[in-house]
Amino acid sequence: MRVGIIGGGITGLTAAFYLQRAGVQTTILEGRPELGGLSSYFNFGPFSWDKFYHCILTSDTPLLQLVDDLGLTPELRWTETKVGFYSDQKLYSMSSSLDFLMFPPLSVWQKMRLGAGILYTSRIQDGRPLEKFLASDWLKKIFGEKNYAKMWGPLLKCKLGACREEASAAFIWATIARLYSTRDKNSSQKERLGYVRGGYRTVCLKLVEEIERMGGTILKNMPVEQLISTADGGLDVISQKQCLHFDRVIATIPSRPLLQAAPQLSPATARKLTEIKYLGIVCYALVLKRKLSPYYVTNLTDEDLPFTGIIEMSNLISGEETAGRHLVYLPKYTAPNDPLFAAGEEEIWQLFWKNLKRVFPDLDPSEIEQKYLFRERFVQPVPVLHYSDLVPEMQTNVPGLLLANTTQIINSTLNNNAMVKIARQAVTHIVESSSNPSAPSPVVAGDEISDAVPVTQ
Ligand SMILES: Cc1cc2nc3c(=O)[nH]c(=O)nc-3n(C[C@H](O)[C@H](O)[C@H](O)COP(=O)(O)OP(=O)(O)OC[C@H]3O[C@@H](n4cnc5c(N)ncnc54)[C@H](O)[C@@H]3O)c2cc1C
C-alpha cells in the first residue's frame, strides 16, 4: 500500500509519521520550499522560532503523545503565564482572582455576572446544542449587555475579526473550555502553558528525521494540481513536475485548492468545502531589545486597534530561545479579501506602529531590532451556526481519497492538538481498512481521538 499525503504541515507530517510506524509506505507532497505549514519556523537572525505563535496546553493529550512518541518529552517546558487586558487606554492584569476583583472597567455586578457566566459555561459538557445560537446573542443573554460591550464583543473580534457576528455560541464555549483545561487544577488555578525547546522547528525536524529514517519520502516544491481517479481504485497525483500513483491519498490542504484539484468530489462534498469560509491572518513579529509587559497574551478591548491581540512570546519561552531578545507578535485575523493582504509592508507597519505606541507610549523605535510581516489567507475556518452539519466527512466519495484538514475541527479555535487527533484518525482508517478491506469504516476505537471528525456520514 502506497499512501500520498498532500501538504507537509503538522497534519501531513503527523499522518506520515504514524503511517510509517504502522509499516505503510508514505510520500508527502508539499507545495512550498519549507515544511511545517502554519507551524513552520523562521530564521529571525540571532534565533529561529515559529512564524506564528504557538503554545501547548496541559490538556493537549494527542499532541503531547506525539511529542512523547518523537522522544521529545524531555524538551517540554511549562510556564505559569499571565494575561493582560488593554481597556479604556490602560493595561490591566487579569491573571488571578484578585486581579479579576480589582479590574476597574467592570462594576461589581458586572464582575459577579461574568464570574457566574464563566463557571456556568465551563460546566457545559456538550457544546453542540449551542451551535444554534449566535455567539453575540448568547453572550448577551448569559453575561449581560454591558459585559458583552466591554469584554466579549471585543474578544470575539480578536478571535474572528469581521466574522464575529456569524459565529455560533458553541465556538465561545469551546474556547472557554479549552482555556480552562490548562489551568492548574490543584492549587492556584493559574494558567500553565508549554512549548518544546526550539519551538515547532524541533518538532518538525524530528518528524522529518523519523519519517525518512522509517523509509518515507518527502517532496518539497511540489504543489499538487490534479487528482485523477484510476481504474484500480487509487489516484494519480499530478504536479507540474511529476505524476505519482498512490493507493490512498490524504489531503491536508485547505478546501479550495483541494476542490480545484479534485473536481470529481461529489456536489454535496463540494458544497461543504465551499460553504466553510476561512479567515486569514496578517501578523507582525517584532524582535525587541526589551520586554513590553509581563503578559503572554494581552487582550484588546479597544475596538479601533488594527491588530487583534498582543502576544509576548518571551513571557512564555526562556530567554535562551531568543538569544536574550524579546519576541512579540501583533496578529490580525481578517477576511481573505481584506486589502491588508495586498497592502505594502510599510503602510501596514505605520498603522500597527502608531497603535502599538498607544498601548506602550514609552516604546522607542530604537528598541525594535527587527520586524517581519507574515500573511496567510486561509487559516481559521469560521465556526458559523450549525457548523457540525457543514463539516466534510473524512472519507470522500472519491475512492481512496481521505480529507483531513482544519475545517474538521468542530467549533474550536485552530489548534495542533485537534489536527494531531484528525491525522491519527485518518491513519487508523487507512491501517484498519487495509488489513480488512471489507470492514466497515472505523471510527477510531475507544480513545480520546474518537470525538474528532466523522469518517463517513
Ligand atoms: C497565528 C496563529 C496562532 C496559532 N496558535 C496556535 C497555538 O497556540 N496552539 C496550537 O496548537 N495551534 C496554534 N495554531 C494553529 C496551528 O498552526 C495549526 O493548527 C496547524 O499548523 C495546521 O496544520 P495543518 O497541517 O493542518 O495545515 P497547514 O499548516 O495549513 O498545512 C497545509 C500545508 O499544505 C501545503 N499546501 C497547500 N496547498 C498545497 C498543494 N496544492 N499541494 C501541496 N501542498 C499544498 C501548505 O503549503 C502547507 O504546508 C496557530 C495558528 C496561527 C496562524
Side-chain angles (χ1 to χ4, degrees):
M1 153 102 78
R2 283 155 307 157
V3 176
I5 298 173
I6 311 179
I10 206 76
T11 310
L13 289 168
T14 302
F17 170 68
Y18 283 117
L19 278 169
Q20 286 294 151
R21 274 212 338 185
V24 177
Q25 187 58 43
T26 60
T27 300
I28 294 180
L29 298 100
E30 165 56 49
R32 295 187 180 180
E34 74 283 342
L35 296 162
L38 296 172
S39 301
S40 64
Y41 50 89
F42 182 77
N43 182 356
F44 287 94
F47 63 93
S48 277
W49 198 258
D50 305 359
K51 209 191 248 188
F52 298 110
Y53 46 92
H54 291 90
C55 62
I56 300 177
L57 274 54
T58 53
S59 54
D60 280 347
T61 311
L63 178 58
L64 290 169
Q65 182 64 54
L66 172 68
V67 168
D68 198 52
D69 291 337
L70 292 170
L72 292 175
T73 299
E75 304 300 313
L76 271 171
R77 296 289 178 274
W78 296 97
T79 310
E80 253 181 29
T81 47
K82 294 194 173 122
V83 179
F85 261 84
Y86 180 74
S87 192
D88 300 333
Q89 288 139 53
K90 287 205 188 84
L91 197 54
Y92 301 99
S93 177
M94 190 61 124
S95 311
S96 67
S97 310
L98 189 64
D99 289 341
F100 176 65
L101 290 172
M102 308 277 289
F103 189 56
L106 300 180
S107 69
V108 174
W109 164 242
Q110 286 159 6
K111 283 178 205 163
M112 280 167 56
R113 195 148 177 201
L114 185 64
I118 289 179
L119 196 64
Y120 166 76
T121 310
S122 68
R123 293 196 172 162
I124 297 174
Q125 296 296 320
D126 178 10
R128 286 201 197 179
L130 298 180
E131 282 192 357
K132 57 178 179 289
F133 305 116
L134 276 175
S136 48
D137 293 346
W138 186 80
L139 285 165
K140 284 175 197 162
K141 192 169 134 218
I142 303 292
F143 296 93
E145 292 275 354
K146 290 225 167 83
N147 273 328
Y148 181 79
K150 285 255 173 208
M151 303 248 332
W152 288 112
L155 286 180
L156 259 185
K157 194 176 165 217
C158 285
K159 289 278 177 202
L160 297 173
C163 290
R164 72 171 162 181
E165 291 305 330
E166 296 169 60
S168 86
F171 173 76
I172 282 291
W173 166 78
T175 307
I176 292 176
R178 184 166 156 77
L179 286 176
Y180 248 68
S181 67
T182 200
R183 299 224 154 207
D184 193 330
K185 306 272 177 322
N186 304 322
S187 53
S188 53
Q189 287 282 312
K190 292 220 170 109
E191 184 176 89
R192 273 207 313 146
L193 299 176
Y195 62 97
V196 174
R197 281 180 60 202
Y200 269 92
R201 177 174 189 270
T202 305
V203 178
C204 290
L205 291 182
K206 190 72 183 167
L207 277 164
V208 170
E209 183 190 321
E210 286 295 304
I211 293 164
E212 291 183 335
R213 186 184 63 74
M214 292 185 283
T217 306
I218 299 178
L219 304 172
K220 295 189 259 185
N221 291 310
M222 198 66 78
V224 170
E225 291 176 351
Q226 220 184 336
L227 297 173
I228 298 179
S229 301
T230 52
D232 61 356
L235 289 147
D236 282 343
V237 176
I238 301 183
S239 71
Q240 265 184 3
K241 293 185 195 158
Q242 283 192 43
C243 168
L244 297 169
H245 181 75
F246 297 104
D247 303 303
R248 298 284 168 87
V249 169
I250 305 177
T252 72
I253 59 179
S255 301
R256 305 288 154 80
L258 174 63
L259 203 52
Q260 278 165 12
Q264 67 272 48
L265 284 163
S266 70
T269 306
R271 187 180 55 79
K272 287 182 171 184
L273 292 178
T274 27
E275 266 186 30
I276 296 181
K277 285 198 284 186
Y278 283 85
L279 279 174
I281 191 153
V282 174
C283 184
Y284 254 108
L286 309 180
V287 179
L288 301 180
K289 291 182 188 161
R290 70 147 166 112
K291 197 181 181 72
L292 280 183
S293 80
Y295 311 118
Y296 170 56
V297 173
T298 298
N299 294 304
L300 307 171
T301 62
D302 286 7
E303 295 228 19
D304 54 342
L305 287 163
F307 35 87
T308 47
I310 299 172
I311 318 296
E312 204 162 340
M313 200 69 214
S314 307
N315 290 326
L316 166 62
I317 62 178
S318 148
E320 283 171 22
E321 303 289 352
T322 51
R325 273 64 163 196
H326 297 265
L327 179 60
V328 174
Y329 297 89
L330 304 175
K332 179 182 172 76
Y333 277 99
T334 189
N337 60 359
D338 189 315
L340 282 179
F341 283 102
E345 289 199 15
E346 192 50 33
E347 184 189 334
I348 301 177
W349 173 243
Q350 288 311 326
L351 179 69
F352 277 38
W353 167 244
K354 190 172 76 189
N355 286 282
L356 186 62
K357 282 283 279 181
R358 277 171 58 192
V359 187
F360 301 104
D362 57 344
L363 180 65
D364 190 83
S366 65
E367 292 170 315
I368 302 176
E369 212 171 275
Q370 293 292 347
K371 56 184 191 324
Y372 301 94
L373 181 66
F374 300 117
R375 294 183 262 200
E376 287 285 345
R377 279 183 201 261
F378 300 103
V379 174
Q380 161 81 53
V382 181
V384 293
L385 292 179
H386 305 289
Y387 185 83
S388 356
D389 296 342
L390 288 180
V391 172
E393 292 79 49
M394 185 168 274
Q395 188 177 284
T396 69
N397 65 293
V398 179
L401 178 60
L402 294 185
L403 173 65
N405 77 7
T406 55
T407 61
Q408 293 167 321
I409 299 180
I410 297 180
N411 290 323
S412 185
T413 49
L414 187 59
N415 67 84
N416 279 337
N417 188 54
M419 293 321 298
V420 169
K421 249 184 196 180
I422 289 169
R424 285 188 54 192
Q425 200 181 14
V427 168
T428 307
H429 177 63
I430 286 180
V431 171
E432 291 192 2
S433 59
S434 67
S435 54
N436 179 6
S438 62
S441 297
V443 174
V444 176
D447 67 12
E448 73 286 348
I449 54 181
S450 61
D451 65 342
V453 63
V455 175
T456 55
Q457 214 162 34

